[in-house]
Amino acid sequence: MIWEYLLDPTNWTNPDAGIFVLIGQHLAYTVLAVLAAAVIGIPFGILIGHTGHGRFVGIGLSNAARAIPSLGLLVLVVTLLDTGIGPVIGVLAILALPPILTATAAGVSGADPEAVHAARALGMNGNQIVAKVEWPLALPLVISGLRSATLQVVATATIAAFVSSGGLGRLLISGQATANYSEMFAGAVLVAALAILLDLLLGLIGWLAARRSHPGRAGAPAFAAST
């Protein structure tokens, strides 16, 4: 039965490689990778969006990172360095960087010009304009970038299992090795369910941010699938 692996309680509670343990590992990879990408991408995105400088180079290089094969990069990094969580987080962060950087730059540069001009007329300096005008207006789009990055990382974090670093990908790999299709099915279902839950959570946060920055103009589109 295809649901057999998921319905067996011992597969959930195994202290070494149970489903709960693997979900925790998968979440850890996702959160750490997106956080690392955000620490780099958001400040640079604000700088590019506010000043307009470096847009071609910064966003161009960021988007070029999308073309890098994640598994190949992970194998290369592990070969040069070592196995463990570090290489996995680094590779996943590279994957998460483009949508975060692009969305942040677009959100800041697309802030309402009238609001920006009004802030300048009130004597605000550049940092104040970013903090009090551009950033609040850009926040919904920034969250959309985080949402897109999170979905990509959740799906791609399965490659961690190729270097014995855990995560839900272990169910896919071990299931394939033993021809246990119920285990493979469990891995696929759990990755999809985790992606849906995180997408709904970030969609809700984005909707609340949009309501706060544009009262009366936020609505159901915030829950649409991010691009």
Side-chain angles (χ1 to χ4, degrees):
M1 186 174 66
I2 199 69
W3 294 94
E4 181 180 358
Y5 192 90
L6 285 173
L7 295 177
D8 186 349
T10 60
N11 292 329
W12 289 82
T13 56
N14 186 322
D16 296 322
I19 291 175
F20 286 125
V21 173
L22 297 180
I23 291 175
Q25 293 171 344
H26 210 93
L27 274 173
Y29 297 149
T30 300
V31 172
L32 290 174
V34 173
L35 181 60
V39 167
I40 298 171
I42 290 178
F44 276 102
I46 291 174
L47 180 63
I48 292 172
H50 179 69
T51 65
H53 298 153
R55 176 179 297 275
F56 177 78
V57 175
I59 295 181
L61 289 175
S62 177
N63 288 332
R66 298 175 187 265
I68 299 175
S70 303
L71 179 58
L73 179 61
L74 179 61
V75 172
L76 175 62
V77 171
V78 169
T79 301
L80 295 177
L81 300 176
D82 195 2
T83 58
I85 191 173
V88 174
I89 297 303
V91 171
L92 294 176
I94 292 174
L95 177 68
L97 182 59
I100 295 174
L101 176 60
T102 303
T104 303
V108 172
S109 65
D112 187 351
E114 293 184 1
V116 174
H117 291 326
R120 287 200 178 98
L122 291 173
M124 290 187 183
N125 58 35
N127 291 335
Q128 290 174 324
I129 291 174
V130 169
K132 297 182 178 181
V133 180
E134 292 176 337
W135 172 253
L137 293 174
L139 189 55
L141 194 54
V142 174
I143 294 174
S144 177
L146 291 170
R147 185 179 177 186
S148 178
T150 300
L151 292 179
Q152 292 183 47
V153 170
V154 167
T156 313
T158 53
I159 66 174
F162 282 95
V163 292
S164 302
S165 294
L168 292 171
R170 288 184 62 176
L171 298 177
L172 299 174
I173 293 175
S174 62
Q176 183 181 33
T178 59
N180 187 337
Y181 298 109
S182 177
E183 185 175 1
M184 293 176 64
F185 175 77
V189 167
L190 290 169
V191 170
L194 186 60
I196 291 172
L197 288 174
L198 290 175
D199 186 49
L200 290 175
L201 175 61
L202 290 172
L204 175 61
I205 295 173
W207 178 71
L208 293 173
R211 285 195 61 183
R212 186 171 182 177
S213 60
H214 299 289
R217 290 164 60 181
F223 290 95
S226 57
T227 57

